[in-house]
Amino acid sequence: MASTAAGAGTASHTDEIVDKDDPRRPLTDKQLNFRINKQEEPRTDYYLLAALMFGMMALIFKYRIFVLQSVLCCVLSFTNSSSQFDVKQFISAVCLAFMGLFVAYVGPQARHFE
C-alpha cells in the first residue's frame, strides 16, 4: 500500500511539472514580432531580360532583327525605369545590344548577318 501512495504522489508531482511547462497556457504565451525589412530588392525588369536574350540570339543566329529588338527593349526599359533600377543589368543589356549593332553593321562579319 505504501508503494501505491508513493506512486500516486509521484504522478501528481509530474503533472505539476507538465502544467508549468505547458506551452498552451494563454497567460504565459508570448506574441512573436517580426521585423519588416524596409529595403526591398529591385524588381526584375523583363525588358532588360528580353534585351539580353535578343542580343545573345543576334550574336548566335546572326539575324539583324534580333539586334534591333534588343536595342528597342533597352530603350523601353530606360523609359519605364523607376526609382528602383538595377544599373548592372541595364549596362550589360545595353553593351550587348550595341556590341550586336557593331558586329551586325560595321564588323568584319557584317556580310554574314541577314
Side-chain angles (χ1 to χ4, degrees):
M1 193 125 170
S3 64
T4 9
T10 309
S12 65
H13 180 66
T14 54
D15 288 338
E16 290 174 10
I17 292 174
V18 171
D19 287 340
K20 284 183 180 179
D21 295 333
D22 189 10
R24 295 173 289 178
R25 297 180 73 191
L27 298 176
T28 59
D29 285 345
K30 295 179 183 176
Q31 189 169 1
L32 294 175
N33 295 324
F34 295 103
R35 288 188 228 146
I36 298 173
N37 191 2
K38 299 291 182 186
Q39 185 178 1
E40 296 178 8
E41 292 184 17
R43 294 182 306 164
T44 303
D45 192 357
Y46 292 106
Y47 284 125
L48 287 179
L49 186 63
L52 286 170
M53 189 173 62
F54 284 132
M56 290 303 294
M57 288 170 58
L59 293 175
I60 292 171
F61 298 124
K62 298 188 187 321
Y63 285 119
R64 287 183 179 160
I65 191 72
F66 289 143
V67 173
L68 297 176
Q69 286 176 342
S70 177
V71 171
L72 178 68
C73 286
C74 287
V75 170
L76 287 173
S77 173
F78 183 70
T79 57
N80 289 333
S81 64
S82 61
S83 62
Q84 296 178 345
F85 191 63
D86 192 7
V87 179
K88 291 178 184 178
Q89 187 177 5
F90 180 74
I91 289 174
S92 64
V94 169
C95 287
L96 188 62
F98 283 114
M99 184 178 70
L101 275 175
F102 179 77
V103 169
Y105 289 101
V106 181
Q109 295 181 346
R111 66 181 183 277
H112 296 295
F113 276 76
E114 295 178 12

